[in-house]
């Protein structure tokens, strides 16, 4: 196990930095899917990528982006000391398999975000990070019983003040040079009454030089109006929603997807067989030892839901919401304080973004059942609470 507890703050990726600078280092991408393709498209001119590797035998022998897709066995036979870049969403099972094959995390294999961020820092002196999921409202048009953002548990939900949101974004971009995805979330992001104004402010000030991709997380209840659609087009916004139609009865999926299609707005209509219960209101997930918590944190895949609240940057945004409803109060060790900008701490910020922190886990990891790759508590998708 690799501990994400800081042991050598500011130097956790020194060995990787040496290898990335070595022009003889070669790379495999583990996972021939959308993340792997996106990584290839962005970095194929920067680093020598040998092939893709995938566990799905249907893909073996095929070509992707001009490279061969290998089976894990084929990869192992031909491997020398190349770096493996794990690009699948299901990191736990990928890490387990790579370890069974004798490879070591942070020596032989790295998460895609680790390679991207450290490479960009060394090559372009840029703090480049994968994502920020910025909550702009506690209001939501649905009341999902197992909402991971705990929205139904907030008795007096508010829309965050524009100035507060603008200040926190400005502060964030003092530290961060470029974020791949800035997602506006809620509740339902589109429930914010000044949603258009905020989107326009972000678009004009930060897109695309600091925000590469803008995404909206909605629930397909509120139809985007003319002004909103104009901005979706102008900033190439990606609209994401989950299909709860079996349970909510309030979604306008057909109408909204038709409008989005007419305006050529890209969207993801996610359908899940199950959701996972984060554990609320349990006070413990049963993991009590420090080692157990560190291991759980390392395996939990919340790498694409970094949160921000004022000057507090969180590795896992769920902790923020747990704090907001007084379910689990944040500890100082849980967040990275963006309050006083210090250029000498840029690498520490990147390390935090990539999972390193003072204890190797967050306070809320003691209570929560974890992200989907470690969570075994399946539940119905979008089950609504009675009003
Ligand atoms: S749609 Fe459901 S899961 Fe999403 S924020 Fe609202 S209550 Fe939570
Ligand atoms: S265990 Fe829970 S609190 Fe900890 S990182 Fe995973 S989702 Fe976040």
């Amino acid at each position: 196990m690799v501990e994400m507890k800081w042991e050598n703050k500011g130097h956790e990726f020194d060995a990787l930095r040496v290898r990335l600078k070595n022009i003889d280092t070669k790379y495999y991408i583990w996972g021939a899917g959308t993340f792997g393709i996106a990584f290839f498209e962005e970095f194929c001119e920067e680093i020598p990528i040998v092939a893709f590797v995938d566990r799905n035998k249907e893909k073996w022998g095929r070509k992707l982006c001009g490279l061969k897709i290998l089976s894990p066995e084929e990869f192992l036979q031909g491997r020398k000391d190349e770096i493996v870049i794990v690009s699948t969403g299901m990191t736990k099972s990928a890490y387990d398999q790579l370890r069974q094959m004798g490879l070591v995390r942070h020596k032989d294999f790295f998460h895609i975000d680790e390679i991207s961020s450290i490479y960009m820092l060394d090559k372009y002196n840029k703090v480049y990070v994968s994502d920020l999921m910025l909550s702009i409202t506690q209001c939501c048009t649905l009341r999902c019983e197992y909402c991971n953002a705990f929205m139904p548990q907030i008795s007096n939900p508010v829309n965050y003040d524009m100035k507060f949101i603008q200040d926190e974004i400005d502060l964030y971009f003092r530290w961060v040079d470029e974020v791949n995805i800035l997602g506006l979330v809620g509740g339902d992001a589109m429930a914010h009454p000044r949603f258009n104004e905020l989107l326009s402010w972000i678009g004009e000030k930060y897109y695309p030089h600091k925000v590469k991709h803008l995404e909206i997380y909605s629930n397909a209840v509120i139809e985007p109006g003319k002004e909103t659609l104009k901005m979706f087009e102008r900033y190439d916004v990606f609209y994401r929603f989950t299909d709860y139609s079996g349970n909510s009865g309030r979604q306008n999926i057909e109408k909204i997807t038709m409008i989005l299609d007419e305006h050529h707005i890209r969207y993801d209509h996610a359908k899940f067989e199950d959701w996972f219960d984060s554990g609320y209101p349990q006070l413990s997930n049963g993991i009590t030892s420090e080692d157990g918590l560190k291991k759980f944190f390392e395996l939990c895949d919340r790498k694409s839901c970094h949160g921000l609240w004022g000057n507090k940057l969180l590795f896992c945004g769920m902790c923020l919401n747990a704090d907001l409803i007084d379910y689990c109060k944040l500890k100082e060790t849980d967040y990275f304080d963006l309050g006083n900008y210090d250029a000498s701490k840029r690498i520490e910020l990147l390390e935090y973004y990539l999972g390193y922190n003072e204890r190797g886990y967050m306070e809320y990891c003691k209570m929560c059942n974890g992200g989907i790759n470690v969570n075994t508590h399946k539940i119905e998708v979008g089950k609504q609470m009675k009003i």
Side-chain angles (χ1 to χ4, degrees), residues 125-142:
N125 191 27
K126 265 188 184 178
V127 173
Y128 171 88
V129 293
S130 54
D131 67 282
L132 178 68
M133 295 296 128
L134 187 73
S135 179
I136 61 171
T137 179
Q138 297 170 346
C139 299
C140 190
T141 37
L142 297 179

mmCIF file of all heavy atoms in Angstrom, residues 125-142:
data_model
loop_
_atom_site.group_PDB
_atom_site.id
_atom_site.type_symbol
_atom_site.label_atom_id
_atom_site.label_comp_id
_atom_site.label_asym_id
_atom_site.label_seq_id
_atom_site.Cartn_x
_atom_site.Cartn_y
_atom_site.Cartn_z
ATOM 1 N N ASN A 125 5.961 24.677 -16.010
ATOM 2 C CA ASN A 125 5.856 25.455 -14.765
ATOM 3 C C ASN A 125 4.413 25.870 -14.492
ATOM 4 O O ASN A 125 4.122 26.997 -14.102
ATOM 5 C CB ASN A 125 6.767 26.691 -14.846
ATOM 6 C CG ASN A 125 6.900 27.359 -13.495
ATOM 7 O OD1 ASN A 125 6.773 26.699 -12.456
ATOM 8 N ND2 ASN A 125 7.130 28.664 -13.482
ATOM 9 N N LYS A 126 3.495 24.940 -14.725
ATOM 10 C CA LYS A 126 2.068 25.224 -14.542
ATOM 11 C C LYS A 126 1.495 24.342 -13.457
ATOM 12 O O LYS A 126 1.751 23.127 -13.454
ATOM 13 C CB LYS A 126 1.304 24.856 -15.822
ATOM 14 C CG LYS A 126 1.087 25.982 -16.766
ATOM 15 C CD LYS A 126 0.151 25.503 -17.860
ATOM 16 C CE LYS A 126 -0.014 26.602 -18.891
ATOM 17 N NZ LYS A 126 -0.863 26.201 -19.983
ATOM 18 N N VAL A 127 0.678 24.938 -12.580
ATOM 19 C CA VAL A 127 -0.115 24.100 -11.669
ATOM 20 C C VAL A 127 -1.363 23.709 -12.451
ATOM 21 O O VAL A 127 -2.276 24.510 -12.651
ATOM 22 C CB VAL A 127 -0.471 24.857 -10.372
ATOM 23 C CG1 VAL A 127 -1.434 24.030 -9.531
ATOM 24 C CG2 VAL A 127 0.793 25.161 -9.585
ATOM 25 N N TYR A 128 -1.343 22.476 -12.924
ATOM 26 C CA TYR A 128 -2.417 21.952 -13.776
ATOM 27 C C TYR A 128 -3.118 20.839 -13.007
ATOM 28 O O TYR A 128 -2.466 19.897 -12.555
ATOM 29 C CB TYR A 128 -1.798 21.406 -15.066
ATOM 30 C CG TYR A 128 -2.755 20.631 -15.948
ATOM 31 C CD1 TYR A 128 -3.531 21.296 -16.899
ATOM 32 C CD2 TYR A 128 -2.873 19.250 -15.845
ATOM 33 C CE1 TYR A 128 -4.406 20.592 -17.704
ATOM 34 C CE2 TYR A 128 -3.750 18.542 -16.661
ATOM 35 C CZ TYR A 128 -4.507 19.222 -17.588
ATOM 36 O OH TYR A 128 -5.372 18.526 -18.383
ATOM 37 N N VAL A 129 -4.429 20.965 -12.832
ATOM 38 C CA VAL A 129 -5.147 19.954 -12.048
ATOM 39 C C VAL A 129 -6.345 19.429 -12.826
ATOM 40 O O VAL A 129 -6.790 20.051 -13.799
ATOM 41 C CB VAL A 129 -5.605 20.536 -10.686
ATOM 42 C CG1 VAL A 129 -4.410 20.859 -9.799
ATOM 43 C CG2 VAL A 129 -6.481 21.757 -10.878
ATOM 44 N N SER A 130 -6.851 18.297 -12.351
ATOM 45 C CA SER A 130 -7.876 17.596 -13.114
ATOM 46 C C SER A 130 -9.239 18.270 -13.066
ATOM 47 O O SER A 130 -9.930 18.349 -14.088
ATOM 48 C CB SER A 130 -8.010 16.174 -12.568
ATOM 49 O OG SER A 130 -8.237 16.232 -11.162
ATOM 50 N N ASP A 131 -9.659 18.741 -11.878
ATOM 51 C CA ASP A 131 -11.063 19.131 -11.747
ATOM 52 C C ASP A 131 -11.295 20.007 -10.531
ATOM 53 O O ASP A 131 -10.515 19.974 -9.580
ATOM 54 C CB ASP A 131 -11.924 17.877 -11.569
ATOM 55 C CG ASP A 131 -11.611 17.227 -10.231
ATOM 56 O OD1 ASP A 131 -10.569 16.552 -10.142
ATOM 57 O OD2 ASP A 131 -12.347 17.459 -9.276
ATOM 58 N N LEU A 132 -12.364 20.735 -10.587
ATOM 59 C CA LEU A 132 -12.919 21.364 -9.385
ATOM 60 C C LEU A 132 -14.428 21.283 -9.514
ATOM 61 O O LEU A 132 -14.998 21.733 -10.508
ATOM 62 C CB LEU A 132 -12.486 22.833 -9.261
ATOM 63 C CG LEU A 132 -13.096 23.540 -8.039
ATOM 64 C CD1 LEU A 132 -12.527 22.965 -6.746
ATOM 65 C CD2 LEU A 132 -12.860 25.039 -8.086
ATOM 66 N N MET A 133 -15.073 20.673 -8.521
ATOM 67 C CA MET A 133 -16.533 20.611 -8.497
ATOM 68 C C MET A 133 -17.004 21.688 -7.529
ATOM 69 O O MET A 133 -16.881 21.527 -6.312
ATOM 70 C CB MET A 133 -17.014 19.226 -8.037
ATOM 71 C CG MET A 133 -16.649 18.110 -8.989
ATOM 72 S SD MET A 133 -17.445 18.293 -10.608
ATOM 73 C CE MET A 133 -16.045 18.168 -11.694
ATOM 74 N N LEU A 134 -17.461 22.790 -8.070
ATOM 75 C CA LEU A 134 -17.775 23.950 -7.246
ATOM 76 C C LEU A 134 -19.274 24.029 -6.972
ATOM 77 O O LEU A 134 -20.073 24.214 -7.884
ATOM 78 C CB LEU A 134 -17.316 25.223 -7.974
ATOM 79 C CG LEU A 134 -17.445 26.485 -7.144
ATOM 80 C CD1 LEU A 134 -16.385 26.525 -6.058
ATOM 81 C CD2 LEU A 134 -17.321 27.718 -8.035
ATOM 82 N N SER A 135 -19.617 23.930 -5.692
ATOM 83 C CA SER A 135 -21.031 23.996 -5.324
ATOM 84 C C SER A 135 -21.462 25.457 -5.280
ATOM 85 O O SER A 135 -20.817 26.283 -4.645
ATOM 86 C CB SER A 135 -21.233 23.329 -3.968
ATOM 87 O OG SER A 135 -22.589 23.416 -3.612
ATOM 88 N N ILE A 136 -22.554 25.780 -5.972
ATOM 89 C CA ILE A 136 -23.014 27.174 -6.006
ATOM 90 C C ILE A 136 -24.368 27.340 -5.327
ATOM 91 O O ILE A 136 -24.835 28.457 -5.136
ATOM 92 C CB ILE A 136 -23.060 27.725 -7.456
ATOM 93 C CG1 ILE A 136 -24.024 26.919 -8.331
ATOM 94 C CG2 ILE A 136 -21.667 27.747 -8.063
ATOM 95 C CD1 ILE A 136 -24.273 27.561 -9.704
ATOM 96 N N THR A 137 -24.987 26.239 -4.991
ATOM 97 C CA THR A 137 -26.307 26.335 -4.345
ATOM 98 C C THR A 137 -26.595 25.081 -3.518
ATOM 99 O O THR A 137 -26.096 23.997 -3.821
ATOM 100 C CB THR A 137 -27.426 26.516 -5.399
ATOM 101 O OG1 THR A 137 -28.682 26.584 -4.726
ATOM 102 C CG2 THR A 137 -27.475 25.392 -6.413
ATOM 103 N N GLN A 138 -27.398 25.285 -2.489
ATOM 104 C CA GLN A 138 -27.869 24.127 -1.711
ATOM 105 C C GLN A 138 -29.287 23.757 -2.149
ATOM 106 O O GLN A 138 -29.895 22.856 -1.590
ATOM 107 C CB GLN A 138 -27.902 24.482 -0.219
ATOM 108 C CG GLN A 138 -26.546 24.814 0.351
ATOM 109 C CD GLN A 138 -26.651 25.384 1.764
ATOM 110 O OE1 GLN A 138 -27.715 25.772 2.238
ATOM 111 N NE2 GLN A 138 -25.522 25.402 2.451
ATOM 112 N N CYS A 139 -29.810 24.511 -3.099
ATOM 113 C CA CYS A 139 -31.196 24.276 -3.526
ATOM 114 C C CYS A 139 -31.248 23.197 -4.603
ATOM 115 O O CYS A 139 -30.370 23.152 -5.469
ATOM 116 C CB CYS A 139 -31.801 25.561 -4.067
ATOM 117 S SG CYS A 139 -31.821 26.848 -2.812
ATOM 118 N N CYS A 140 -32.256 22.380 -4.510
ATOM 119 C CA CYS A 140 -32.410 21.333 -5.520
ATOM 120 C C CYS A 140 -33.883 21.110 -5.792
ATOM 121 O O CYS A 140 -34.719 21.264 -4.896
ATOM 122 C CB CYS A 140 -31.753 20.029 -5.057
ATOM 123 S SG CYS A 140 -31.685 18.841 -6.398
ATOM 124 N N THR A 141 -34.178 20.754 -7.022
ATOM 125 C CA THR A 141 -35.562 20.519 -7.416
ATOM 126 C C THR A 141 -36.006 19.093 -7.078
ATOM 127 O O THR A 141 -37.160 18.759 -7.243
ATOM 128 C CB THR A 141 -35.684 20.749 -8.933
ATOM 129 O OG1 THR A 141 -34.491 20.253 -9.542
ATOM 130 C CG2 THR A 141 -35.834 22.211 -9.242
ATOM 131 N N LEU A 142 -35.069 18.246 -6.630
ATOM 132 C CA LEU A 142 -35.433 16.885 -6.220
ATOM 133 C C LEU A 142 -35.002 16.655 -4.767
ATOM 134 O O LEU A 142 -34.257 17.469 -4.205
ATOM 135 C CB LEU A 142 -34.763 15.852 -7.140
ATOM 136 C CG LEU A 142 -35.173 15.881 -8.616
ATOM 137 C CD1 LEU A 142 -34.417 14.819 -9.397
ATOM 138 C CD2 LEU A 142 -36.675 15.678 -8.781
#
